[in-house]
Amino acid sequence: MEHPLSIHNTLTRKKEQFIPLHAPHVGMYVCGPTVYGDAHLGHARPAITFDILFRYLTHLGYKVRYVRNITDVGHLEQDADSGEDKVAKKARLEQLEPMEVVQFYLNRYHKAMDALNVLPPSIEPQASGHIIEQIDLVKEILDNGYAYESQGSVYFDVEKYNKDHRYGILSGRNIEDMLNTTRALDGQDEKRNPIDFALWKCAQPEHIMRWPSPWSNGFPGWHCECTAMGKKYLGKHFDIHGGGMDLIFPHHECEIAQAVASQGDEMVHYWMHNNMITVNGQKMGKSLGNFITLEEFFTGKHTMLTQAYSPMTIRFFILQAHYRSTVDFSNEALQASEKGLTRLLEAYNNLQKLKSSASSSADVKEIRSKCYEAMNDDLNSPVVISHLFDAARMINSVKDEKASLTAEDIKELEEVFELFLFNLLGIQDVAASSGNDSYEAFSKAMDLLLTIRQEAKANKDWATSDKIRNELASFGFEIKDTKEGAEWRLNK
C-alpha cells in the first residue's frame, strides 16, 4: 500500500514521502501531557495535530496503532534532573495521594479532549505502570557501557555515547558547544558531566513516589518512559514519533540516544513536531504562568478573554495554521475563527436546501482533489480550509440565484464537506447534530415563530411582524428575509 502522503521529518529536516515499515500497519507514538494541572491551549495543539494524522492515515486504509502516553512520574521541575517531581509537588500542596492528582487531572484532560472531538488513542499507557520496563531499559544501557551508577542514581554518559554515535542528531546541537556552555548545577555533583541525564534517580527521604530497583529505591528519569513504552507497544522500530517542538531537546534527543544505546540502532523512522502556541510572541506554558486552560476558554472565565469560545472554535483556530507554524493567541484571531467556522457550517446547511439545475455554472470537480493534495502535503489544513471556503462561496452564489449546480454536483459538495470538514478535520456541527433533541425542538419553535411572523406580514400586520423580529434580535437572533422565506441564526 502506497500513498503520496509527504510529512516533514524533523530528523532529516525535509519533507519525505510516508512509507510505513510494515504496511498496512502503522505505529505512531505521541507524547501526551504531564497530569498535574488542567490542559491549556498548548496541550490542545499536539492533540489536534496528531488526531488529524491519525484520522487521515486511517482514511487512507492503514491500520494505525496510536500510542499516547501519560506522564505521571519522573518529570521534575524545569525539565531538569533536580527539583521536585511535578505530580508529587502538586500532591504535597493539595495534601493528596499523587495518584489522586493524576486521576483527577487525567479525567479532566479526557473531558477536554472529548469536547475538542479528539479521538482516543489505541493505547494510553502511564509511566507509573511501566516501571519494570524502564528498569530493564536502564539495565540494557548500563550493560552496553553507556551509563554509570552514582550514589544510587544512574546517569547516561553523553560524552562516551557521542564517541560511538552522535548526540544532537535531532536538535542539531553540538556536544562541544554544550560542554562549553553548560555549568554544573547545585545538587548535580554526582554526575560525571553536567550534560549527562538521569536514567534512574535515587529518591530522597521525603520523595513519596519511589520503587525498588537494583540501584536504589527511586524513580525513572523523565526520558525513559517513552523509549520503554514505545518499544513495548510498537516494537524496536516504528513509523512515527510526534510531539511539541519544545520536546525536541532534551526529551526526544535523549530518547534517540537511549534507543541506540540499548538496542544498537534508532527506533523511529519519522519524527514530527508541531510548533508552539504563543501569547504576545512568548510560548504559552504553565512554567511561564501565561497559559489559559481549555476549561477557561470554554467558559470565558479568564482575564485575557473577552468571551467564551466553543471547543469547535478552538479546534478550527488551531487548524487554520499549519501545524509547523506558530499560532499567536488573541481574542481577535479567535473571533475571526468563530465567524469563519460559522460561514462554513452555514454553507453546508444551505447545501441541503439548494435546488438543483440541469447544468452547473460552477466547477466543483477539482475541490476534492485539491483538498487531498493539501492533506498529502504535510497535512496542510489551512489550504484544505481555503478550498472549503471556495466551495462555500459557490453554495452561497447558488443560494442567491447567481449560479447553478446539478444534483450530481450538489451531492459531490456534500461528500467533500462531510469527508474533509467533519471526518478528517474533525469539526462537529454541534448545534445541528441530528442526535441533539433539544436543538431540534428549539429549531422547530423558531420556525413556528417565523411562520407566525410571515403570516403577520401577509396580513400587513407590521406591528406584530416587527415585534417578533425585534424581540428575537434582542435575544441575539439574526433574522434574514429571503425569497424562500425567513432564515435565522443565533449570534454568539
Side-chain angles (χ1 to χ4, degrees):
M1 183 189 297
E2 195 170 301
H3 293 282
L5 168 62
S6 292
I7 54 179
H8 185 273
N9 190 348
T10 309
L11 190 63
T12 60
R13 295 163 181 75
K14 63 183 181 181
K15 277 191 274 193
E16 300 175 357
Q17 184 178 354
F18 176 67
I19 302 173
L21 295 169
H22 307 291
H25 299 278
V26 171
M28 182 169 81
Y29 188 102
V30 175
C31 287
T34 302
V35 280
Y36 68 102
D38 277 332
H40 57 69
L41 193 61
H43 295 116
R45 194 165 198 199
I48 290 170
T49 295
F50 293 101
D51 181 56
I52 300 298
L53 180 59
F54 182 32
R55 288 169 181 267
Y56 193 51
L57 288 171
T58 302
H59 170 70
L60 293 177
Y62 293 114
K63 297 176 180 178
V64 186
R65 178 177 288 175
Y66 175 17
V67 180
R68 185 182 69 205
N69 71 297
I70 298 296
T71 298
D72 58 357
V73 66
H75 195 169
L76 306 186
E77 293 176 296
Q78 286 79 52
D79 300 345
D81 288 335
S82 61
E84 276 194 90
D85 182 294
K86 294 182 177 185
V87 171
K89 180 179 180 180
K90 185 75 171 182
R92 177 175 59 79
L93 294 173
E94 300 289 338
Q95 295 185 313
L96 298 168
E97 282 290 327
M99 288 305 139
E100 279 185 279
V101 171
V102 168
Q103 194 63 57
F104 178 79
Y105 287 111
L106 183 55
N107 290 344
R108 290 174 68 82
Y109 176 75
H110 286 154
K111 184 180 177 183
M113 293 302 106
D114 288 344
L116 291 168
N117 198 27
V118 169
L119 299 176
S122 315
I123 305 172
E124 194 175 54
Q126 293 179 215
S128 63
H130 296 78
I131 301 297
I132 293 172
E133 289 85 354
Q134 293 176 78
I135 290 174
D136 287 343
L137 173 69
V138 177
K139 286 179 181 176
E140 289 172 351
I141 297 171
L142 273 168
D143 290 345
N144 291 337
Y146 292 113
Y148 57 90
E149 184 181 350
S150 176
Q151 300 177 35
S153 294
V154 180
Y155 291 97
F156 192 95
D157 193 332
V158 173
E159 197 168 15
K160 185 173 181 182
Y161 171 84
N162 193 61
K163 289 176 182 176
D164 299 329
H165 307 283
R166 183 191 161 199
Y167 184 79
I169 191 171
L170 185 68
S171 63
R173 300 196 182 200
N174 184 291
I175 189 171
E176 285 76 22
D177 293 339
M178 286 188 277
L179 285 168
N180 291 332
T181 57
T182 307
R183 61 182 177 83
L185 300 174
D186 292 340
Q188 293 192 359
D189 55 348
E190 61 189 45
K191 291 184 182 183
R192 291 179 186 169
N193 202 307
I195 64 172
D196 294 346
F197 59 89
L199 297 174
W200 184 266
K201 288 285 288 181
C202 178
Q204 298 303 310
E206 68 275 9
H207 199 99
I208 51 180
M209 299 178 78
R210 58 173 67 216
W211 291 264
S213 80
W215 315 287
S216 65
N217 281 348
F219 54 93
W222 172 38
H223 311 303
C224 285
E225 63 181 272
C226 293
T227 307
M229 295 191 294
K231 186 182 294 188
K232 179 179 177 69
Y233 294 110
L234 298 174
K236 290 186 175 182
H237 304 98
F238 58 89
D239 298 295
I240 298 168
H241 194 318
M245 202 170 280
D246 55 328
L247 297 177
I248 293 175
F249 189 88
H251 188 49
H252 290 164
E253 194 72 75
C254 293
E255 280 192 54
I256 291 176
Q258 289 170 162
V260 175
S262 62
Q263 66 184 37
D265 58 2
E266 293 180 36
M267 293 174 67
V268 180
H269 194 183
Y270 302 91
W271 285 90
M272 294 180 69
H273 294 91
N274 63 273
N275 214 319
M276 297 177 291
I277 301 283
T278 57
V279 181
N280 299 320
Q282 188 179 40
K283 175 197 168 187
M284 178 181 284
K286 289 178 183 173
S287 58
L288 297 170
N290 64 349
F291 66 95
I292 305 173
T293 70
L294 292 172
E295 180 68 21
E296 287 168 338
F297 273 106
F298 301 159
T299 60
K301 293 178 180 177
H302 192 282
T303 54
M304 291 169 65
L305 298 174
T306 57
Q307 65 176 80
Y309 297 98
S310 73
M312 286 303 103
T313 296
I314 298 296
R315 187 176 179 108
F316 193 66
F317 168 68
I318 288 172
L319 292 175
Q320 280 187 291
H322 191 271
Y323 76 87
R324 289 196 299 113
S325 64
T326 56
V327 175
D328 198 53
F329 157 80
S330 72
N331 282 282
E332 292 76 16
L334 277 163
Q335 287 159 10
S337 293
E338 185 176 67
K339 289 175 182 174
L341 178 57
T342 298
R343 281 201 302 274
L344 283 182
L345 294 176
E346 284 181 350
Y348 176 73
N349 290 326
N350 288 334
L351 188 56
Q352 322 296 309
K353 307 168 191 172
L354 292 186
K355 293 179 180 177
S356 62
S357 301
S359 62
S360 290
S361 61
D363 184 10
V364 308
K365 304 298 182 189
E366 292 186 350
I367 293 178
R368 184 190 294 258
S369 61
K370 285 180 177 177
C371 287
Y372 269 123
E373 187 179 331
M375 288 296 292
N376 287 331
D377 183 17
D378 198 25
L379 306 178
N380 203 327
S381 59
V383 173
V384 174
I385 290 169
S386 73
H387 293 318
L388 293 174
F389 275 122
D390 289 340
R393 280 188 283 274
M394 290 180 191
I395 293 164
N396 292 333
S397 291
V398 176
K399 176 176 172 287
D400 295 338
E401 299 183 354
K402 294 176 182 176
S404 60
L405 290 173
T406 63
E408 182 184 0
D409 283 346
I410 290 172
K411 186 173 185 295
E412 169 67 8
L413 285 177
E414 285 180 356
E415 290 178 358
V416 164
F417 267 79
E418 286 162 8
L419 173 59
F420 290 97
L421 184 63
F422 301 129
N423 187 357
L424 297 180
L425 295 187
I427 296 297
Q428 292 176 312
D429 191 353
V430 179
S433 170
S434 59
N436 192 332
D437 295 335
S438 60
Y439 174 83
E440 206 170 320
F442 171 75
S443 180
K444 286 178 180 178
M446 280 297 300
D447 289 341
L448 176 61
L449 269 175
L450 293 183
T451 299
I452 294 170
R453 177 173 174 266
Q454 194 62 32
E455 289 172 355
K457 286 176 71 177
N459 295 328
K460 297 189 183 213
D461 182 359
W462 309 119
T464 300
S465 169
D466 291 347
K467 180 177 173 59
I468 293 173
R469 185 195 62 213
N470 294 339
E471 288 288 332
L472 288 174
S474 71
F475 299 143
F477 291 94
E478 181 182 329
I479 308 302
K480 185 178 179 183
D481 291 309
T482 71
K483 292 179 181 178
E484 305 296 325
E487 297 177 349
W488 64 271
R489 76 174 181 183
L490 179 60
N491 292 322
K492 294 178 183 177

